[in-house]
Amino acid sequence: MEEHNKKVIRVEDSEDSSAIFMQRKDVVRGIDFGKWRIEICKSHMMESRCHNKCIDIGDDRDGSGEAGKSPNPSDKARELCEYCQFVSEFQFSLPEEVYCRNWVKITAKKDANVKDMGAGEEDPKKEAEIAPNALVFNAFESLKCTNRDGVESKLPQVSYAKEWLAAQAKYHRSEMEAIKPYDWTYESDFCGKLFGEWTVGMPDDNEGIDMEMLKRAEKILFQDTVFLLADDFGDNGIMHMNLRLRVMPSCFYILQRQFIRIDEVYVKLHDTRIFAPQEADYLIRDVSSFHLDLKYLEKKLGAQRSDGRSVNTMCTPENVMKLMPFFEKRSHKVEKLNL
């Protein structure tokens, strides 16, 4: 892989809260490609509680049990730690793994305001705004696209939900209701946030994702995987959201995938693909969702499985492509993002 200079960028104050999570002084890797600048930032998982005393007495949101604490709503977002910024925005339990400092950004170079700096340099006086024309992927914006105020009866359930509710009847708990129902699988239709002025339209017939171009044996100029979110639903499945990107001489390609599996119930995929050939002044965004009923898969593969593995162990983010013929496509749209 070609070596690239590391850079440190910071973001000035912004009314958009997603900018807060792009201001940290983490090392950023990137590459210039045609009219675009592609950058990524990778860091550690977010802390599971507040350590900076940027909170007031309130609900026990940090799980510390210390009289219960929650962010002071009068505080500016800039003054809150990462954990409290998330808690103040999302009134539900967060996923077990939130990589709040990780992000992927595609910037139109004519609007880029990122200056090259030597590896490891940190100059607080040199700041860069989110460019007027940029497409950004991060955990914060993804969670904003989840169902926060769901109707309990329409929310997903684990495989033994009916049996559990029936068992509660003798304890007079059959009428239990969720106080703040939300989609605990964190299913999100997030497909990247646009900053600046873009024109969104339909691509011409010859402007979609060129699969033949992606199949060519080319030198990989830049590639990586960036994690955003993960959870195991209390050992009842898995949710996994990340981005994989690669840049070749002829094009670049990014896949954001959210994989959701509720054991013995279903698997869902939410895919967003970003593609641009060399020198293109537009991006192709391909968004699709897929659904697989695990009872259906059990019937289809029952006679084929000689190793006795359950369908749960077969359906993982790593080997999901082998099972794609069994998935049902629920939605699909293709957009052309013009500068």
Side-chain angles (χ1 to χ4, degrees), residues 68-325:
K69 298 180 178 181
S70 63
N72 183 349
S74 65
D75 289 340
K76 296 180 180 179
R78 173 70 67 172
E79 298 170 350
L80 299 178
C81 69
E82 294 165 340
Y83 173 80
C84 288
Q85 289 171 37
F86 271 76
V87 169
S88 64
E89 173 69 26
F90 306 110
Q91 302 300 309
F92 54 76
S93 297
L94 296 172
E96 293 177 341
E97 298 181 23
V98 178
Y99 296 87
C100 65
R101 295 190 179 189
N102 290 8
W103 47 263
V104 174
K105 182 174 70 169
I106 307 168
T107 307
K109 284 169 55 177
K110 66 179 182 179
D111 294 319
N113 194 26
V114 180
K115 299 181 180 180
D116 289 352
M117 299 170 64
E121 289 186 45
E122 296 183 9
D123 184 351
K125 296 181 180 179
K126 294 183 179 180
E127 300 184 341
E129 298 179 349
I130 293 180
N133 286 94
L135 175 62
V136 176
F137 296 85
N138 60 33
F140 189 83
E141 291 298 332
S142 175
L143 286 174
K144 285 172 69 174
C145 294
T146 61
N147 183 359
R148 310 194 208 183
D149 303 302
V151 178
E152 186 177 6
S153 61
K154 297 182 179 180
L155 294 177
Q157 295 183 330
V158 295
S159 59
Y160 52 85
K162 291 182 179 179
E163 292 80 358
W164 185 88
L165 288 172
Q168 305 309 306
K170 61 181 179 180
Y171 300 110
H172 306 289
R173 298 175 181 172
S174 58
E175 301 301 323
M176 289 189 301
E177 294 184 3
I179 298 175
K180 292 182 179 180
Y182 68 97
D183 187 346
W184 50 270
T185 66
Y186 307 103
E187 182 178 350
S188 173
D189 59 2
F190 177 62
C191 56
K193 179 161 185 176
L194 294 171
F195 290 86
E197 297 182 0
W198 296 76
T199 301
V200 180
M202 294 293 294
D204 295 334
D205 293 338
N206 62 340
E207 289 180 334
I209 296 179
D210 192 332
M211 300 307 297
E212 294 303 317
M213 183 180 293
L214 293 175
K215 293 177 183 178
R216 294 176 189 169
E218 289 190 274
K219 179 181 179 181
I220 303 297
L221 304 177
F222 186 84
Q223 66 178 345
D224 216 320
T225 300
V226 179
F227 293 94
L228 297 183
L229 302 168
D231 197 280
D232 69 356
F233 309 146
D235 291 330
N236 285 290
I238 185 175
M239 185 277 293
H240 188 275
M241 189 174 198
N242 67 6
L243 293 105
R244 301 177 66 182
L245 64 155
R246 59 187 169 113
V247 181
M248 294 80 71
S250 63
C251 63
F252 76 82
Y253 176 72
I254 297 175
L255 169 62
Q256 176 190 258
R257 168 166 289 169
Q258 183 182 38
F259 175 96
I260 300 172
R261 187 193 73 225
I262 302 179
D263 290 347
E264 313 297 339
V265 182
Y266 63 65
V267 175
K268 287 186 177 182
L269 298 178
H270 288 279
D271 290 351
T272 297
R273 293 171 168 84
I274 306 296
F275 173 83
Q278 178 67 269
E279 298 304 326
D281 59 356
Y282 62 85
L283 302 176
I284 297 297
R285 179 163 63 180
D286 186 302
V287 182
S288 55
S289 64
F290 302 85
H291 183 276
L292 173 61
D293 186 289
L294 290 183
K295 292 183 179 179
Y296 166 79
L297 183 65
E298 181 80 36
K299 293 179 181 178
K300 287 290 185 179
L301 299 182
Q304 303 177 26
R305 289 180 293 139
S306 58
D307 55 6
R309 290 193 301 160
S310 71
V311 291
N312 297 326
T313 59
M314 297 176 64
C315 296
T316 64
E318 292 73 26
N319 66 2
V320 68
M321 292 307 298
K322 298 179 182 178
L323 299 173
M324 284 307 295

